[in-house]
Amino acid sequence: MFSTCLSGLLKHKGIIKQDEMLLSMKERIKESFLVMQDVNSQLFTKSVEEELLLSVKNESNASLEEIVTLLGLEEDKESHPMALSGGQKQRVAIACAAIAEKQFIVYDEPTSGLDYENMIKMSKLIAKMKDNTYATIVITHDLELILSSCDRVIHLEDGTVKEDYELNAEGIERVKFFFIHLS
């Protein structure tokens, strides 16, 4: 639910600001891309290539082929998205987010359905994209993903910020401690 509130798809009681300016739901929808936990809800076209082109803001987007290659989707471009495995669908949704050129990208459990190798590819892409967005938010229970692609942790519980810290040396130990005691 948090991911849909952040991206403007669901009303909520809180406020969301960018550089001290209040962002309306309409503005968040326009400037956000949400990679849902269940990507079946967001794949609409007849081929992976069509799905990717739906997200392209600028048709001369040179990074499209680079992203397709990085995520290992070259051979799947003509495939119907619903014919793909869960991990392949997840990578298609992540590729769409990467080429959409939005200010806010929200990943809701992006490693669901991905094996370790593809999680590493995806975390590299997230890290690479950070410079092109205002905020990249990763909602996850995956410690390896946090350590490989995030620079800050915001721990939410019951809609309240419990902790907010950088992933410096102290923060890394803090998040590891949390995960060790979570299990």
Side-chain angles (χ1 to χ4, degrees):
M1 183 179 318
F2 180 69
S3 60
T4 52
C5 290
L6 274 175
S7 53
L9 298 174
L10 188 65
K11 286 188 177 189
H12 56 87
K13 293 180 183 178
I15 59 171
I16 297 176
K17 294 181 177 182
Q18 178 183 10
D19 296 329
E20 300 305 314
M21 302 264 311
L22 185 64
L23 293 174
S24 69
M25 285 179 67
K26 187 176 180 180
E27 290 168 318
R28 290 195 319 273
I29 288 171
K30 181 181 175 194
E31 288 300 327
S32 298
F33 194 103
L34 170 61
V35 176
M36 299 175 177
Q37 187 171 1
D38 177 11
V39 294
N40 290 316
S41 303
Q42 68 185 109
L43 300 174
F44 306 104
T45 65
K46 295 179 182 174
S47 72
V48 169
E49 186 169 35
E50 284 182 47
E51 199 69 48
L52 295 167
L53 291 174
L54 266 182
S55 299
V56 173
K57 200 177 210 177
N58 175 358
E59 290 205 28
S60 65
N61 189 332
S63 63
L64 176 60
E65 287 304 316
E66 179 186 349
I67 291 164
V68 166
T69 301
L70 177 67
L71 293 176
L73 295 168
E74 312 91 342
E75 294 178 17
D76 301 312
K77 286 169 62 173
E78 299 304 317
S79 301
H80 193 289
M82 290 302 141
L84 302 175
S85 72
Q88 289 169 313
K89 290 176 190 176
Q90 192 74 16
R91 286 183 284 146
V92 170
I94 291 163
C96 289
I99 61 175
E101 299 180 23
K102 301 287 186 171
Q103 286 298 304
F104 303 95
I105 300 181
V106 181
Y107 298 94
D108 190 353
E109 297 291 352
T111 55
S112 63
L114 295 183
D115 59 17
Y116 180 75
E117 180 183 331
N118 284 305
M119 186 277 295
I120 295 299
K121 289 176 184 179
M122 192 219 37
S123 65
K124 287 179 183 177
L125 180 60
I126 289 174
K128 181 178 178 176
M129 290 172 45
K130 279 193 254 185
D131 293 337
N132 300 329
T133 62
Y134 182 82
T136 300
I137 298 120
V138 180
I139 301 166
T140 187
H141 295 93
D142 187 330
L143 178 60
E144 288 178 296
L145 177 62
I146 293 169
L147 295 176
S148 64
S149 63
C150 299
D151 53 25
R152 173 170 222 84
V153 169
I154 300 173
H155 173 183
L156 297 174
E157 199 171 297
D158 299 323
T160 304
V161 175
K162 294 292 184 184
E163 295 185 275
D164 178 0
Y165 53 90
E166 289 184 43
L167 270 178
N168 53 22
E170 180 184 327
I172 290 171
E173 292 308 311
R174 211 166 154 180
V175 76
K176 284 180 180 178
F177 181 82
F178 173 79
F179 274 89
I180 290 168
H181 289 81
L182 181 69
S183 48

